[in-house]
Structures are given as structure tokens and as C-alpha cells.
Amino acid sequence: MLRALGLGDLLTAVPALRALRRALAGHELVLAGPPELEGVARATGCVDRLLPAAGPGRAVPDALPAEARRPDLAVNLHGGGPASHRLLASLAPRRLWAFHHPELPGLEGPPWDPYAHERHRWCALTAWYGCPADPDDVRITPPGTASPAPGAVVLHPGAQAPARRWPVARFAAVAAALHRAGLPVVVTAGPGEGHLATAVAARAGLPPAAVLGVPRPLAFDALCGLVAHARCVVVGDTGLAHVATALGTPSVVLFGPVAPSLWGPPDNGLHRVLWCPSRGDDTARPGDPHAGRPDPRLLRITPGDVLEAVHTLLPATAGAGS
């Protein structure tokens, strides 16, 4: 199973992985993905072993280890092809499950829908091959690690691209309001994001101990412990949002260049999605997700909007913005 992408990508594939696990109970299920996601793969309960595989950015890996050759089944959970299809075909699998692509007419599979939600997309693939999946079957069991800040509101200002990063000053305004209301607040940092988390905490008047993930990002088990026991997570369209979804923790998720119809959490009452599309936007990807500055739609979201969303999830914080 090829999904050599990031944390959120792997968690959105959990429903499809779970369908494969049920249908292929007698097989060893091997995930080809980045080695740093081994803990995530283990937490899904669907993967027997992780085979290290990664390309630059979100690119298809150039090759897979020789031990991956001649599998009984290769499943492309990475993309719509053709590069990822050809990589798996090069392993000479007995069977290959993938979306149809016109450059590979001999490969049968369902059509690729560019407007499908990411969870639904991979469920549609497995269902086409006779493995029905529930796109809302996203929950994972936390590893059991204790939280360093039980009951905290977790703010995560980072994201892979600036286009999906809500400004530091606005995160700080939310953090300060919640802190004034007497709520414990922590700010997390992923790899290379320590400066963002530190700046948010400093502007909000939080103590240095409120910053988690500096100088080293939290290990996945520790991150799960934090999120699983948090009151709420406030985060952009990035991996930590999917961790909250997977653990059933309430979240407020801020969207910008890409619509929540593609990457948003399940509509189960636990999550609030904030997105302010432009008049005339007629696409699920109206902005550039790789741009070097925050998307205009993201900038339309105010600290008051976020606090209001938090309040709907946590009625006891209703006075936080006053």
C-alpha cells in the first residue's frame, strides 16, 4: 500500500486501510511511507509493517526497496497516476488496485474525481474492488501516553505552506483571550515551526512552558497524549487537525486556499470549520495552497470568529472574548 505522504494524508486514509485490513485478513499489510510515520501507521491498527519510502515534497518516490517486489497485491493510495501507478507496476504485483488513468489503458479501476473529499476518494477506490469502507471510520486508539497539559486548549499555528498559516498575531489574540478566561492554553510546534509557536506564546503573555515541540517536535505518541486529553484544538488545514479528528477531540479548523469539502473533518458535531470563500469562487481549490503568503480567504477569519467557534464547542468559555 503506497502512501508516501504526510501525517494528515495517512490519517485520512484510515477508513480505506481499515477496509483493506478486513478484506485481506490473511495477508501481511505493508505500508510504503515515510519512516517518521511508523508510529502513526502502528496506531491505525491496520498496518503490519512500514516500508520506508518518500519522495521530495509530495512527489512519488523514485523507487521502493527490493523487498517490496512481487507482492500479491499492490494498492495505490498515493495519487491518481500515472507516476505512482508505474512505480507499483514496476514491482510486478500479481494484482494492482488503482484509479484508472488514460496513459495506462490496460489498468482497470474507478475514475479519479478531483472534487472528491480525500477520505471518500480512497473509500471509493477500495469499494470499486469489492472492499466497502466507511469514510467516517476515522478513529484510532491513542497509544496511552500521558498528556503534558491535560485539559488544555491546544493552538497550532504552523502549516507546511504560508498560504495555510493564519497570522501569528491572530493566534496570539485567541490564546490571550482564552488565558484571561482561566483556561489552560498550550501552543504546539511541528518541525521547523518553533519560531511560530514561541512568538504566539510571547505575544499572548503565556509562560515559556506553554510552548510544546521546541526544540524538538513532539513524538507521535506524546502528541496523541496531548490531543486526546485536550479540551479543544485550534488549527489550520494541516496534520494536527486530522489527529484531532482521529482521536475524537473537538477542533476548530481554519481553511484558506483549499475548501473543507476536500479535507474537512466529519460532520459529527465535534468540529467547527471556518472558511470564507470569495464571491464567485466556484472551485474547491480557489487559491494556491503553496503560495508564500496567507490566502485571502484565511485572512477573512478573525480572532472573534475563532473564539465564537471555540465557545460553541466549550460553552464554559463563553466569556473568553470579553
Side-chain angles (χ1 to χ4, degrees):
M1 305 175 296
L2 175 67
R3 193 148 176 90
L5 297 166
L7 170 62
D9 301 281
L10 180 51
L11 290 173
T12 58
V14 164
L17 292 172
R18 200 155 279 150
L20 292 168
R21 176 78 283 172
R22 287 192 300 267
L24 304 169
H27 287 69
E28 180 190 33
L29 267 62
V30 180
L31 177 71
E36 62 268 23
L37 295 184
E38 184 171 3
V40 190
R42 183 174 58 250
T44 68
C46 307
V47 176
D48 296 311
R49 183 162 55 93
L50 186 134
L51 191 69
R58 299 179 65 83
V60 177
D62 291 333
L64 295 175
E67 64 183 285
R69 288 193 57 79
R70 302 191 182 281
D72 180 61
L73 171 65
V75 184
N76 188 354
L77 300 176
H78 187 94
S84 51
H85 292 5
R86 290 187 174 119
L87 174 64
L88 289 175
S90 72
L91 301 178
R94 191 170 71 85
R95 295 174 290 168
L96 173 57
W97 292 0
F99 284 101
H100 174 73
H101 194 281
E103 292 187 26
L104 300 169
L107 175 61
E108 294 186 357
W112 174 271
D113 179 0
Y115 297 104
H117 190 286
E118 192 69 8
R119 294 192 315 274
H120 291 255
R121 180 193 313 287
W122 303 110
C123 290
L125 176 69
T126 63
W128 196 90
Y129 287 101
C131 303
D134 176 0
D136 290 336
D137 185 14
V138 296
R139 296 289 292 272
I140 64 172
T141 302
T145 305
S147 171
V153 178
V154 177
L155 274 61
H156 186 79
Q160 188 177 46
R164 292 185 281 122
R165 291 180 201 150
W166 203 46
V168 161
R170 300 191 194 185
F171 266 110
V174 171
L178 296 173
H179 182 60
R180 287 196 302 270
L183 288 167
V185 179
V186 297
V187 188
T188 54
E193 297 172 351
H195 64 293
L196 297 174
T198 301
V200 168
R203 290 193 184 205
L206 301 178
V211 178
L212 302 177
V214 177
R216 290 179 298 278
L218 294 173
F220 180 71
D221 286 9
L223 185 65
C224 281
L226 173 67
V227 173
H229 299 286
R231 291 175 188 255
C232 178
V233 173
V234 179
V235 61
D237 175 20
T238 190
L240 192 67
H242 301 286
V243 175
T245 294
L247 295 173
T249 299
S251 68
V252 177
V253 189
L254 288 62
F255 282 83
V258 176
S261 61
L262 297 185
W263 286 91
D267 184 15
N268 58 11
L270 284 175
H271 312 286
R272 296 292 180 269
V273 166
L274 299 180
W275 190 56
C276 301
S278 303
R279 180 176 296 179
D281 280 349
D282 60 356
T283 174
R285 297 180 182 85
D288 178 3
H290 307 293
R293 62 183 63 184
D295 186 81
R297 297 155 195 82
L298 189 63
L299 293 178
R300 294 192 189 107
I301 301 170
T302 68
D305 295 331
V306 173
L307 287 166
E308 182 179 0
V310 171
H311 300 164
T312 66
L313 295 172
L314 307 175
T317 69
S322 60

